[in-house]
Amino acid sequence: GEDVEQSLFLSVREGDSSVINCTYTDSSSTYLYWYKQEPGAGLQLLTYIFSNMDMKQDQRLTVLLNKKDKHLSLRIADTQTGDSAIYFCAESIYAGNMLTFGGGTRLMVKP
Amino acid sequence: EPEVTQTPSHQVTQMGQEVILRCVPISNHLYFYWYRQILGQKVEFLVSFYNNEISEKSEIFDDQFSVERPDGSNFTLKIRSTKLEDSAMYFCASSETSYEQYFGPGTRLTVT
């Protein structure tokens, strides 16, 4: 079945860029997502990219997709302490389909 | 900004009891989902619901689970006879377009 993997932990200094990586196994993945989870809160949809795109930028967020390597990344520019959270990568094969999540990357931003 | 809400935030129940977890999706959304996250594990899909019927379900979603949209606003997940291994955070999600899923804050279910 599909599998989505992420590294567990990333620590950066405030003002630096953060890059969170994700790999997936299913070449049929059509939609790829990044969600953010703050302590005690639900999953906040940050951004998503369709598989026919290589890059998507949304303010401080840049998503890069390498379909050949099945690799997705989320770059957060000028990382702030408020960006400290768990970031989940997820994929789905078609619209309305279930999301398959990675295990989440805990981002810690040091002042 | 509209958001998905879930009640209760925390539910404690004894093994074998029935529980109903409630969700109010965003009002103009048509696609509804339940996911769960057991502590320390990945978020797992349970079921999706569209046009008043289940559109997809996972292996986890066995006969002990059911979903219902009893009125125009609520979406519920019922677990008929809870087991210890049902202890998890349960997330409801809804979608208007079918590819953007918006999640609620979750209900933490503790089965003792």
Side-chain angles (χ1 to χ4, degrees), chain B residues 63-105:
Chain B
D63 292 343
Q64 292 299 312
F65 291 88
S66 62
V67 288
E68 196 177 31
R69 188 153 162 81
D71 52 42
S73 59
N74 290 283
F75 181 51
T76 62
L77 174 69
K78 183 193 289 185
I79 309 175
R80 287 189 185 81
S81 178
T82 49
K83 307 182 186 70
L84 293 175
E85 55 264 36
D86 293 328
S87 294
M89 182 73 91
Y90 287 79
F91 292 106
C92 172
S94 71
S95 175
E96 179 187 17
T97 61
S98 79
Y99 55 83
E100 291 180 2
Q101 294 185 26
Y102 294 91
F103 283 71

Side-chain angles (χ1 to χ4, degrees), chain B residues 24 39 59 72 89 99 105:
Chain B
V24 179
L39 190 64
E59 291 175 356
M89 182 73 91
Y99 55 83

Side-chain angles (χ1 to χ4, degrees), chain A residues 24 26-33 48-53 65 67 90-95 97-98, chain B residues 99:
Chain A
Y24 58 97
D26 194 339
S27 55
S28 304
S29 297
T30 304
Y31 303 92
L32 295 129
Y33 303 83
Y48 58 90
I49 189 168
F50 299 122
S51 60
N52 61 356
M53 300 166 65
L65 175 60
K67 278 195 71 176
E91 61 88 24
S92 70
I93 298 172
Y94 56 85
N97 182 226
M98 55 179 267
Chain B
Y99 55 83

Side-chain angles (χ1 to χ4, degrees), chain A residues 32-51:
Chain A
L32 295 129
Y33 303 83
W34 285 103
Y35 282 84
K36 176 183 179 183
Q37 186 180 36
E38 296 180 83
L43 300 164
Q44 176 194 354
L45 177 61
L46 285 178
T47 187
Y48 58 90
I49 189 168
F50 299 122
S51 60

Side-chain angles (χ1 to χ4, degrees), chain A residues 96, chain B residues 31-35 45 47-48 75 91-95 98 101:
Chain B
Y31 301 82
F32 312 111
Y33 308 84
W34 283 101
Y35 292 81
F45 168 78
V47 66
S48 58
F75 181 51
F91 292 106
C92 172
S94 71
S95 175
S98 79
Q101 294 185 26

